[in-house]
Amino acid sequence: MITLKIISPQREVLSEDVDLVELPGTMGRFEVLRDHAPLISSLEKGSIRYVKGGESNEIECEPGFVEVRSNTVTVCIG
């Protein structure tokens, strides 16, 4: 499992354990699976897709940043 945390300056938008996360990177969409290498990336406006228990969900996001480290994906959006 991967812990997905989406935060904005106003509140925590989401905090869930998921199977995979797909993000709108400024250089193109990319997917994060369990044990992904650490990274920091900028994000463009778009949708964050995540899968939990075979069910796909999407959240629209503003531009921001993402950090991937130790099976935790932390998304900071504006």
Side-chain angles (χ1 to χ4, degrees), residues 11-73:
R11 65 187 177 96
E12 182 176 87
V13 178
L14 180 79
S15 181
E16 288 195 36
D17 289 333
V18 301
D19 300 315
L20 70 89
V21 181
E22 186 178 285
L23 300 150
T26 52
M27 301 290 286
R29 292 192 67 82
F30 64 96
E31 191 173 271
V32 176
L33 299 169
R34 182 175 159 84
D35 297 328
H36 195 285
L39 70 83
I40 294 176
S41 177
S42 56
L43 300 175
E44 63 182 22
K45 184 176 180 173
S47 64
I48 298 170
R49 185 177 78 88
Y50 62 95
V51 176
K52 180 177 181 177
E55 183 179 326
S56 180
N57 299 283
E58 285 192 15
I59 293 179
E60 293 300 313
C61 74
E62 295 298 317
F65 295 91
V66 63
E67 178 189 40
V68 178
R69 183 173 46 137
S70 302
N71 289 316
T72 299
V73 177

